[in-house]
Amino acid sequence: MGSTTDKIKGNANEAIGKAKQGIGEATGSERLQGEGVVQEVKGKGQKAMGDAKDSAKEAIDRAAAAARRAAE
């Protein structure tokens, strides 16, 4: 999965998780609140993974550029 896909899925899971929590609070459903918390945390993890992939790609690109400059 690419970093953008991770970030999109992460945003979606965060939003759905928050919605589930709100619905759970409104209806008194602890189960739904719990599911919402888990889904929100999953979304945050997915977004962090997307950010990490971006950072790794940027570091690789910088290293490759430096290697090209050194070879010239």
Side-chain angles (χ1 to χ4, degrees):
M1 225 181 318
S3 64
T4 302
T5 303
D6 286 331
K7 290 178 184 181
I8 291 169
K9 287 184 176 188
N11 282 330
N13 275 318
E14 260 193 276
I16 292 168
K18 287 178 183 180
K20 281 183 178 180
Q21 289 176 62
I23 294 168
E25 287 176 22
T27 61
S29 172
E30 290 180 13
R31 182 185 62 81
L32 196 55
Q33 284 178 311
E35 286 178 10
V37 169
V38 169
Q39 192 160 4
E40 183 179 358
V41 170
K42 177 183 176 182
K44 288 180 181 185
Q46 286 172 315
K47 285 174 35 178
M49 180 61 76
D51 290 339
K53 286 179 181 179
D54 281 344
S55 295
K57 183 181 180 324
E58 289 169 9
I60 290 168
D61 290 346
R62 283 193 305 271
R68 282 192 298 276
R69 284 192 302 273
E72 294 175 345

